[in-house]
Amino acid sequence: MPESVLLHELISTAAQRAPEAVALSWQQSSATYAELADAVQRCAHGLVDCGLERTERVGIYLEKRWETVVTSFGAPAAGGVFVPLNPLLKAEQVVFILRDCDVRVLVTSPERLALLAPVLGDCPSLRHVVLTQASATPVVLPAGVALSTWAELLDAPMRAGHRVIDTDVVSILYTSGTTGKPKGVVLSHRNMVAGAKSVASYLDNRPTDTLLAALPLSFDAGFSQLTTAFHSGARVVLLNYLMPRDVLKAMEREKVTGLTAVPPLYIQLSALEWPAAINENLRY
């Protein structure tokens, strides 16, 4: 079995090993590694069909959901660079990042686009917006910006992605900007794949694991839940929680074996009574 070298190969390699294994769960849905790998390739074809050139940026302004994960790996498969945006950011903060790194394609929802539309004119590099579904209200975009839906993106004709090597840029993750303007941290395919292999090694991740993605995917430790799981052939559960108790409920319901969080969340979780069933599965 070949080793993963590029980011999107974490999924395709796992799909070769165990195509029917569940890779991703969100809300009431799940997808196998074969289904995820197919969606990533179709997303890549669609982005190239949109005119995405090698190393051009694809912004993702969504909560944790199917389209977020597929685009995060589909953009690199097309030869582009994915830029995940924290879904809690305000319109002005989002536009700052889109402009700062010259995002060409933006993937978002109709609801989020409604918040961004009045200020998207400040993003001169933007050429295409992809919506998770058709908007119920008319969408007015700046001149020269095309609009399509997720279904149309995935139905685009097959087009080969641009050539990529492991030292090419794969993502730009932005800092929170709490002490100034957000800064873009540039990561290569080698950075992210080596990180996934390292973390999976010391946590002893395995195909039987279920990891809970509770942290934002725009945060390195949050996105690492995807890369670590996919390298190991494990399952990831996407969680958009409102209260800390929602995390415990998800851990019990999904039989989570691995939880990664930050100190503020752990402080909140430690103050709650944990369901006894969590201990039947949780390894770390």
Side-chain angles (χ1 to χ4, degrees), residues 12 27 58 70 124 176 212 272:
S12 59
Q27 297 179 340
V58 178
V70 173
S176 61
L212 185 64
L272 300 175

PDB file of all heavy atoms in Angstrom, residues 12 27 58 70 124 176 212 272:
ATOM      1  N   SER A  12      -7.506   9.054   0.012  1.00  0.00           N
ATOM      2  CA  SER A  12      -7.490   8.053  -1.063  1.00  0.00           C
ATOM      3  C   SER A  12      -6.744   6.789  -0.641  1.00  0.00           C
ATOM      4  O   SER A  12      -7.135   5.677  -1.012  1.00  0.00           O
ATOM      5  CB  SER A  12      -6.864   8.643  -2.329  1.00  0.00           C
ATOM      6  OG  SER A  12      -5.542   9.085  -2.097  1.00  0.00           O
ATOM      7  N   GLN A  27     -24.203  15.212  12.033  1.00  0.00           N
ATOM      8  CA  GLN A  27     -25.648  15.199  12.259  1.00  0.00           C
ATOM      9  C   GLN A  27     -26.152  13.744  12.218  1.00  0.00           C
ATOM     10  O   GLN A  27     -25.699  12.923  12.993  1.00  0.00           O
ATOM     11  CB  GLN A  27     -26.347  16.104  11.254  1.00  0.00           C
ATOM     12  CG  GLN A  27     -25.954  17.571  11.391  1.00  0.00           C
ATOM     13  CD  GLN A  27     -26.623  18.467  10.373  1.00  0.00           C
ATOM     14  OE1 GLN A  27     -27.096  18.036   9.330  1.00  0.00           O
ATOM     15  NE2 GLN A  27     -26.648  19.756  10.680  1.00  0.00           N
ATOM     16  N   VAL A  58      -8.705  28.856  -1.994  1.00  0.00           N
ATOM     17  CA  VAL A  58     -10.125  28.531  -1.870  1.00  0.00           C
ATOM     18  C   VAL A  58     -10.525  28.785  -0.423  1.00  0.00           C
ATOM     19  O   VAL A  58     -10.073  28.093   0.494  1.00  0.00           O
ATOM     20  CB  VAL A  58     -10.407  27.065  -2.246  1.00  0.00           C
ATOM     21  CG1 VAL A  58     -11.897  26.746  -2.051  1.00  0.00           C
ATOM     22  CG2 VAL A  58      -9.978  26.787  -3.678  1.00  0.00           C
ATOM     23  N   VAL A  70     -14.951  18.119   2.590  1.00  0.00           N
ATOM     24  CA  VAL A  70     -14.678  17.769   1.192  1.00  0.00           C
ATOM     25  C   VAL A  70     -13.877  18.875   0.497  1.00  0.00           C
ATOM     26  O   VAL A  70     -12.914  18.601  -0.226  1.00  0.00           O
ATOM     27  CB  VAL A  70     -15.995  17.491   0.437  1.00  0.00           C
ATOM     28  CG1 VAL A  70     -15.729  17.306  -1.060  1.00  0.00           C
ATOM     29  CG2 VAL A  70     -16.667  16.247   1.002  1.00  0.00           C
ATOM     30  N   PRO A 124     -11.003  42.064  -4.434  1.00  0.00           N
ATOM     31  CA  PRO A 124     -10.822  42.145  -5.884  1.00  0.00           C
ATOM     32  C   PRO A 124     -10.391  40.835  -6.545  1.00  0.00           C
ATOM     33  O   PRO A 124     -10.583  40.676  -7.754  1.00  0.00           O
ATOM     34  CB  PRO A 124      -9.738  43.221  -6.040  1.00  0.00           C
ATOM     35  CG  PRO A 124      -9.013  43.233  -4.735  1.00  0.00           C
ATOM     36  CD  PRO A 124     -10.045  42.915  -3.703  1.00  0.00           C
ATOM     37  N   SER A 176      -5.996  34.022  15.452  1.00  0.00           N
ATOM     38  CA  SER A 176      -7.266  34.586  15.910  1.00  0.00           C
ATOM     39  C   SER A 176      -7.342  36.097  15.761  1.00  0.00           C
ATOM     40  O   SER A 176      -8.435  36.664  15.667  1.00  0.00           O
ATOM     41  CB  SER A 176      -7.501  34.213  17.369  1.00  0.00           C
ATOM     42  OG  SER A 176      -6.473  34.745  18.188  1.00  0.00           O
ATOM     43  N   LEU A 212     -13.597  12.793  18.077  1.00  0.00           N
ATOM     44  CA  LEU A 212     -14.609  13.846  18.084  1.00  0.00           C
ATOM     45  C   LEU A 212     -13.971  15.163  17.658  1.00  0.00           C
ATOM     46  O   LEU A 212     -13.048  15.655  18.314  1.00  0.00           O
ATOM     47  CB  LEU A 212     -15.220  13.994  19.474  1.00  0.00           C
ATOM     48  CG  LEU A 212     -16.374  14.995  19.586  1.00  0.00           C
ATOM     49  CD1 LEU A 212     -17.571  14.528  18.748  1.00  0.00           C
ATOM     50  CD2 LEU A 212     -16.783  15.199  21.038  1.00  0.00           C
ATOM     51  N   LEU A 272     -18.624  19.142  34.984  1.00  0.00           N
ATOM     52  CA  LEU A 272     -19.856  18.407  34.725  1.00  0.00           C
ATOM     53  C   LEU A 272     -19.725  16.953  35.161  1.00  0.00           C
ATOM     54  O   LEU A 272     -18.623  16.420  35.304  1.00  0.00           O
ATOM     55  CB  LEU A 272     -20.183  18.452  33.228  1.00  0.00           C
ATOM     56  CG  LEU A 272     -20.389  19.835  32.605  1.00  0.00           C
ATOM     57  CD1 LEU A 272     -20.572  19.705  31.096  1.00  0.00           C
ATOM     58  CD2 LEU A 272     -21.592  20.540  33.227  1.00  0.00           C
TER      59      LEU A 272
END
